[in-house]
């Protein structure tokens, strides 16, 4: 039985957030500490954050062992959280301190609880009652003695803050100190449930029964876009809250959260806790603390919300589970969908993977009987799936430097005349992907990466989409010095905006792209305005493909449906299929039927054919057969090794040596491919080389990889990243 409490002076092993490869021994402080306690410990001259992970080893001169400085005033890390971090680290081959940093990403954890002044009904009487004073006292009485901040109370009463302060002096309102990090309002699971269609009700009941079993399982909730998957899993969340357990809903994009939070508030009467980079630091600290105390029942968040210290997690929903943004591509390389399943298995919780176009991994797990499957076959209410048609660009007469075909132009014009919205979709940010000198042929690239710089005309700058480097738009060619010869090649959404404005000068046009907004709030506000009918034509990147509900939108035009089909990515066909289906699903969600037009130069391509036919099962079966024959995920295992250094010779030398000394991998039947220069061979001034390891599905890949990379000593400036189950191959 592990020790749960350490008395003063006992040796404890502390895992710190610093990049060290072991636990450090400290003496328990005055008053002792629990296993899992968050502590501040001395490390050299600094004070650092750590967690008591177990008893100390004692293999060090005890006289030199220092004491824990203090125990932080937060709930200790629970056993299941420590197990989750440990197993996630083993799977992704990530050092434990890096995993702990993911689990402590709230600012000011060590700070004492800050206080603020709050105001509630006092015991005194106001000797001279005015209208303004009456309004303040009415608000306080109406809310049954609840307390408010000064600004909240003044705003709700519609008076100035001086009125409230005057009532405090008279004793009619009492001013008190209260903790700043307050519990979230209680959600009411029986507040605003909608009437469900028969297949929604059946799905909700199946999820409810799974929750009541009090054990782990995963369910794929599949339904065409607009079929009401959200209502079904919110019913599961309601059941989870009735059981007194916590629920987590993961969303792939922060931009989706505004509309979603509104739906949650309508269903439960109050807003849930939010966790993503768009919320303030103060809110993040409050969320982290309240989740740990059990005072946040429902969290809506980005992938990192998986690492919050839940007290009693009962349900994890991964919305749009196929989305590639669930894969963290820097720092700790993990897939939030897979980690959600691991976390739920440890907690005895339920997982709901919701998608209109599931990933092949989830499809294969359903086929293998590992996941249950619920399918919603019809759109909610009067809405029906849009009609999908290809526009063969080989026969369309499109002028040079233009991208909208006459057929798409005519369809948009028809919608404008009817007062309906159209969406023009192009998955390229910026104005133009290439800036070319017509005198010498030079293409302007990034100084630090082997990537072309993308023109962003709204910003009047060139931007590298790999490292974020920007520079002013040059007037002369940096290679040959020719003036006024630089030309934008190819379209981005900004250029599409220009073309659409020229074709439809009287239309209200909005360009939706993640880099055009200063904040998540600004983006949310604009999306709400569009949904309310403030725009005739929306031009957008894949940001618009996810989750938004535009009731007036009846036409989707895809500018370049072939864009994702090129390249060596093993998931290219799957991603194109998913993206096209998702984008098309934005149309016809109201009462009017929708239409989706796909501009393509390859109308006979099997992926385009499958999209148009809507025959998903046939597409997945064919895609699965191809992957199975090749022995690649989900029917085999893969790991990417990325070596990077400012010295190109160094990375190729180490890559070559690793390919030669591959005995630990050959022992499990794995193959090594490479080394090869990464498709983008230089990023931020560092040269990048990739190796790819491929193994059987059942192979013990992590152990073999650890043994293999453990043979090599890395030069000082060379970095190695190991990507288990890589999603991108750039």
């Amino acid at each position: 039985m592990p020790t749960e409490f350490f008395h003063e002076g006992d040796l404890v092993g502390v895992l710190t957030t610093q990049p060290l490869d072991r636990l450090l021994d400290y003496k328990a402080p005055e008053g002792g500490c629990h296993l899992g306690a968050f502590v501040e410990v001395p490390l050299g001259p600094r004070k650092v954050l750590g967690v008591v992970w177990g008893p100390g080893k004692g293999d060090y001169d005890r006289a030199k062992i220092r004491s824990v400085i203090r125990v932080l005033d937060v709930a200790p890390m629970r056993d299941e959280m420590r197990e989750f971090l440990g197993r996630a680290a083993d799977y992704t081959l990530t050092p434990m301190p890096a995993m702990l940093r993911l689990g402590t990403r709230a600012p000011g954890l060590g700070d004492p609880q800050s206080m603020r002044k709050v105001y509630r009904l006092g015991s005194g009487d106001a000797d001279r009652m005015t209208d303004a004073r009456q309004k303040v006292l009415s608000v306080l009485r109406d809310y049954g003695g609840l307390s408010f901040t000064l600004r909240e109370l003044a705003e709700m009463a519609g008076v100035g803050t001086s009125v409230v302060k005057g009532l405090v002096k008279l004793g009619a309102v009492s001013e008190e100190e209260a903790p700043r990090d307050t519990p979230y309002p209680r959600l009411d699971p029986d507040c605003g449930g909608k009437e469900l269609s028969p297949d929604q009700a059946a799905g909700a009941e199946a999820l409810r029964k799974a929750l009541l079993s009090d054990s782990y399982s995963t369910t794929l909730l599949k339904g065409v876009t607009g079929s009401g998957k959200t209502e079904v899993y919110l019913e599961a969340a309601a059941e989870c809250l009735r059981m007194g357990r916590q629920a987590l809903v993961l969303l792939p994009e922060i931009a989706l959260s505004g509309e979603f939070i509104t739906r949650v508030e309508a269903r439960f009467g109050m807003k849930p806790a939010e966790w993503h980079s768009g919320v303030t630091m103060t809110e993040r600290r409050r969320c982290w603390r309240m989740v740990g105390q059990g005072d946040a029942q429902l969290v809506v968040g980005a992938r990192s919300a998986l690492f919050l210290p839940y007290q009693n997690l009962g349900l994890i929903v991964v919305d749009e589970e196929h989305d590639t943004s669930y894969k963290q591509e820097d720092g700790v390389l993990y897939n939030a969908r897979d980690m959600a399943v691991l976390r739920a298995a440890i907690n005895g919780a339920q997982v709901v993977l919701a998608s209109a176009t599931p990933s092949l991994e989830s499809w294969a797990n359903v086929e293998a009987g590992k996941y249950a499957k619920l399918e919603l076959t019809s759109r909610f209410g009067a809405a029906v799936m849009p009609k999908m048609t290809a526009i063969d660009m080989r026969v369309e007469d499109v002028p040079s430097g233009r991208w909208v075909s006459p057929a798409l132009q005519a369809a948009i014009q028809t919608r404008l005349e009817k007062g309906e919205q159209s969406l023009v979709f192009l998955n390229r940010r910026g104005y133009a992907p290439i800036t070319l000198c017509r005198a010498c042929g030079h293409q302007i690239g990034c100084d630090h990466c082997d990537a072309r710089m993308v023109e962003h005309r709204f910003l009047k700058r060139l931007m590298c989409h790999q490292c974020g480097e920007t520079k002013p738009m040059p007037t002369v060619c940096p290679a040959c010095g020719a003036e006024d010869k630089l030309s934008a090649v190819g379209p981005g959404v900004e250029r599409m905006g220009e073309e659409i404005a020229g074709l439809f000068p009287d239309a209200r046009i909005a360009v939706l792209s993640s880099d055009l907004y200063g904040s998540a709030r600004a983006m949310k506000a604009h999306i709400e305005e569009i949904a309310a009918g403030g725009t005739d034509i929306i031009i957008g990147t894949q940001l618009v493909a996810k989750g938004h509900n535009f009731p007036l939108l009846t036409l989707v035009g895809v500018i370049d449906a072939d864009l994702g089909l090129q390249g060596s990515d093993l998931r290219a066909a799957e991603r194109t299929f998913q993206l096209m289906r998702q984008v098309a699903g934005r149309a016809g969600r109201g009462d009017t039927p929708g239409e989706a037009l796909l501009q393509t130069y390859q109308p006979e391509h099997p992926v385009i054919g499958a999209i148009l036919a809507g025959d998903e099962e046939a597409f997945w079966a064919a895609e699965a057969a191809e992957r199975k024959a090749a022995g690649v995920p989900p029917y085999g295992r893969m790991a990417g090794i990325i070596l990077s250094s400012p010295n190109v010779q160094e990375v190729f030398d180490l890559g070559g040596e690793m390919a030669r000394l591959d005995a630990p991998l050959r022992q499990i039947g794995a193959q090594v491919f490479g080394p090869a220069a990464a498709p983008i061979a230089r990023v931020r001034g560092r040269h990048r080389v990739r190796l790819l390891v491929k193994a059987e599905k059942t192979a013990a890949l992590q152990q073999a990889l650890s043994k293999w990379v453990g043979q090599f000593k890395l030069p000082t400036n060379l970095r190695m990243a190991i990507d288990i189950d890589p999603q991108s191959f750039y």
Side-chain angles (χ1 to χ4, degrees):
M1 185 76 184
T3 309
E4 291 293 323
F5 186 79
F6 300 94
H7 297 279
E8 183 179 350
D10 288 352
L11 285 190
V12 293
V14 173
L15 174 66
T16 71
T17 52
Q18 305 305 301
L20 302 164
D21 59 355
R22 64 191 190 283
L23 300 183
L24 302 176
D25 276 8
Y26 290 94
K27 291 174 190 163
E30 185 182 343
C33 58
H34 285 89
L35 180 66
F38 287 86
V39 291
E40 189 175 77
V41 293
L43 186 63
R46 294 174 301 149
K47 297 173 182 178
V48 299
L49 178 69
V51 172
V52 176
W53 216 255
K57 270 192 172 177
D59 56 354
Y60 190 68
D61 180 357
R62 194 175 173 108
K64 292 182 180 173
I65 294 177
R66 298 155 86 181
S67 279
V68 168
I69 297 169
R70 66 189 178 107
V71 177
L72 306 189
D73 183 21
V74 293
M77 185 180 280
R78 300 172 67 84
D79 293 348
E80 67 257 23
M81 181 66 173
R82 294 201 311 282
E83 185 185 346
F84 171 58
L85 292 179
R87 286 173 62 179
D90 291 343
Y91 187 83
T92 57
L93 296 177
T94 301
M96 278 304 292
M99 293 307 306
L100 183 60
R101 283 197 294 277
L102 276 181
T104 51
R105 284 178 62 183
L109 282 186
D111 297 350
Q113 178 77 285
S114 61
M115 306 296 278
R116 63 177 174 180
K117 287 186 167 61
V118 295
Y119 299 82
R120 65 174 77 239
L121 210 53
S123 53
D125 287 320
D127 52 358
R128 192 171 58 80
M129 189 56 67
T130 64
D131 279 354
R133 287 177 173 180
Q134 187 60 54
K135 284 177 185 170
V136 172
L137 297 175
S138 295
V139 166
L140 291 172
R141 287 192 195 104
D142 289 349
Y143 281 86
L146 283 180
S147 60
F148 297 89
T149 63
L150 182 61
R151 200 174 80 187
E152 282 171 345
L153 182 53
E155 279 179 6
M156 289 185 77
V159 301
T161 54
S162 58
V163 178
V164 179
K165 288 179 176 172
L167 286 166
V168 170
K169 284 178 187 165
L170 297 167
V173 170
S174 118
E175 182 182 83
E176 301 165 11
E177 291 275 322
R180 190 171 288 277
D181 295 334
T182 51
Y184 288 88
R186 303 300 288 175
L187 305 182
D188 180 358
D190 303 309
C191 169
K194 287 187 179 175
E195 193 177 327
L196 302 180
S197 67
D199 60 348
Q200 281 181 314
E205 182 57 25
L207 293 179
R208 203 174 70 80
K209 280 184 179 159
L211 274 160
L212 291 170
S213 73
D214 236 5
S215 59
Y216 156 76
S217 68
T218 295
T219 304
L220 176 64
L221 177 60
K222 182 180 180 299
V224 294
T225 315
S227 59
K229 295 182 290 294
T230 306
E231 298 307 330
V232 174
Y233 68 64
L234 286 182
E235 288 307 308
E239 189 57 44
C240 184
L241 300 191
R242 286 186 198 105
M243 294 166 69
R245 300 187 76 178
Q246 291 167 302
L248 164 64
V249 179
L250 293 179
L251 300 177
E253 289 278 354
I254 299 167
L256 301 187
S257 62
E259 187 185 332
F260 184 78
I261 298 290
T262 307
R263 289 178 78 171
V264 172
E265 190 175 8
R267 174 63 185 83
F268 297 112
M270 290 288 175
K271 285 185 175 171
E274 284 186 72
W275 178 271
H276 51 73
S277 58
V279 298
T280 63
M281 288 300 185
T282 306
E283 267 306 297
R284 285 178 83 132
R285 188 192 61 233
R286 177 193 180 198
C287 182
W288 195 94
R289 283 175 177 268
M290 293 306 128
V291 165
Q293 290 171 208
D295 284 322
Q297 297 160 283
L298 173 61
V299 178
V300 174
R303 59 185 176 227
S304 59
L306 267 178
F307 295 89
L308 289 171
Y310 298 95
Q311 196 184 64
N312 187 2
L313 187 59
L315 172 71
I316 305 175
V317 176
V318 185
D319 199 14
E320 309 286 4
E321 65 87 27
H322 63 278
D323 199 286
T324 51
S325 50
Y326 283 124
K327 179 69 191 260
Q328 170 90 8
E329 294 283 10
D330 51 30
V332 179
L333 306 178
Y334 69 92
N335 190 317
R337 179 192 63 220
D338 302 341
M339 290 299 130
V341 171
L342 172 62
R343 177 115 208 217
I346 293 168
N347 281 63
Q350 289 292 311
V351 179
V352 176
L353 304 176
S355 176
T357 54
S359 61
L360 188 58
E361 278 79 358
S362 297
W363 185 88
N365 279 326
V366 168
E367 293 288 297
K370 289 183 184 175
Y371 294 173
K373 182 182 178 185
L374 290 173
E375 191 149 11
L376 306 179
T377 50
S378 56
R379 283 191 140 186
F380 191 75
V384 292
M385 279 303 282
K387 179 179 150 212
M388 299 179 80
T389 316
I391 296 174
D392 187 344
M393 295 297 282
R394 296 170 302 188
V395 298
E396 289 282 319
D397 182 19
V398 183
S400 175
R402 288 291 188 74
W403 288 273
V404 177
S405 64
L408 178 56
Q409 184 181 343
I412 295 172
Q413 185 62 47
T414 305
R415 295 316 187 282
L416 282 173
E417 287 161 9
K418 289 182 182 174
E420 295 166 8
Q421 286 178 329
S422 303
L423 164 64
V424 176
F425 175 81
L426 176 67
N427 204 17
R428 275 203 188 111
R429 291 181 292 149
Y431 181 82
I434 299 168
T435 300
L436 176 84
C437 173
R438 292 197 307 275
C440 71
H442 175 72
Q443 296 178 11
I444 298 183
C446 175
D447 299 333
H448 311 290
C449 308
D450 283 351
R452 298 181 181 106
M453 295 198 90
V454 177
E455 182 184 346
H456 284 248
R457 198 156 284 191
F458 290 173
L459 302 172
K460 299 186 174 61
R461 294 182 79 79
L462 291 170
M463 181 183 285
C464 173
H465 286 178
Q466 295 306 318
C467 70
E469 176 75 19
T470 71
K471 53 182 163 187
M473 189 70 202
T475 52
V476 299
C477 172
C480 71
E483 283 194 47
D484 301 325
K485 289 289 184 184
L486 292 174
S487 177
V489 179
V493 283
E494 293 175 19
R495 194 171 195 175
M496 281 313 310
E498 224 172 69
E499 182 175 341
I500 294 290
L503 292 172
F504 306 102
D506 299 329
R508 296 168 301 163
I509 295 166
V511 178
L512 268 185
S513 177
S514 56
D515 50 8
L516 298 178
Y517 296 94
S519 69
R521 288 171 204 275
M523 190 191 293
K524 281 184 201 174
H526 195 192
I527 287 167
E528 283 164 17
E529 185 193 323
I530 293 168
T535 296
D536 300 316
I537 304 171
I538 307 154
I539 296 149
T541 62
Q542 65 176 353
L543 178 74
V544 294
K546 303 168 183 177
H548 302 302
N549 187 14
F550 301 125
L552 303 174
L553 181 69
T554 57
L555 174 70
V556 168
V558 178
I559 294 298
D560 191 351
D562 312 326
L563 189 59
L565 295 174
Q566 282 79 40
S568 55
D569 187 345
L570 68 92
R571 294 182 177 85
E574 177 186 353
R575 285 189 183 144
T576 301
F577 181 79
Q578 287 164 338
L579 189 55
M580 293 301 113
R581 296 275 299 175
Q582 290 276 321
V583 174
R586 296 302 114 212
R589 291 170 75 103
D591 299 335
T592 315
E595 185 179 8
L597 300 176
L598 276 59
Q599 293 190 167
T600 172
Y601 287 92
Q602 310 173 63
E604 63 290 319
H605 193 290
V607 176
I608 302 291
I611 293 164
L612 296 174
D615 191 351
E616 291 187 40
E617 287 303 314
F619 172 76
W620 291 127
E623 186 70 7
E626 266 187 47
R627 300 254 198 111
K628 207 176 271 185
V632 295
Y635 303 102
R637 302 203 59 199
M638 273 188 168
I641 314 293
I642 304 101
L643 306 174
S644 70
S645 166
N647 182 332
V648 67
Q649 193 60 47
E650 209 170 58
V651 277
F652 273 103
D653 287 351
L654 179 61
E657 193 182 354
M658 289 179 77
R660 283 192 303 278
L661 301 177
D662 64 344
L665 296 173
R666 276 185 282 121
Q667 282 168 3
I668 61 158
Q671 295 171 274
V672 180
F673 299 93
I680 297 170
R682 192 170 56 106
V683 173
R684 296 184 181 91
R686 299 181 68 84
H687 298 275
R688 301 165 73 249
V689 161
R690 288 189 68 104
L691 295 100
L692 199 60
V693 178
K694 187 176 141 195
E696 295 278 324
K697 180 90 171 152
T698 52
L701 184 59
Q702 277 86 346
Q703 286 169 293
L705 284 169
S706 292
K707 207 182 287 183
W708 178 49
V709 301
Q711 302 174 100
F712 309 102
K713 186 164 173 28
L714 301 188
T716 313
N717 216 347
L718 193 145
R719 291 187 211 133
M720 177 192 294
I722 301 174
D723 188 1
I724 305 289
D725 310 325
Q727 289 286 313
S728 68
F729 295 85
Y730 78 88

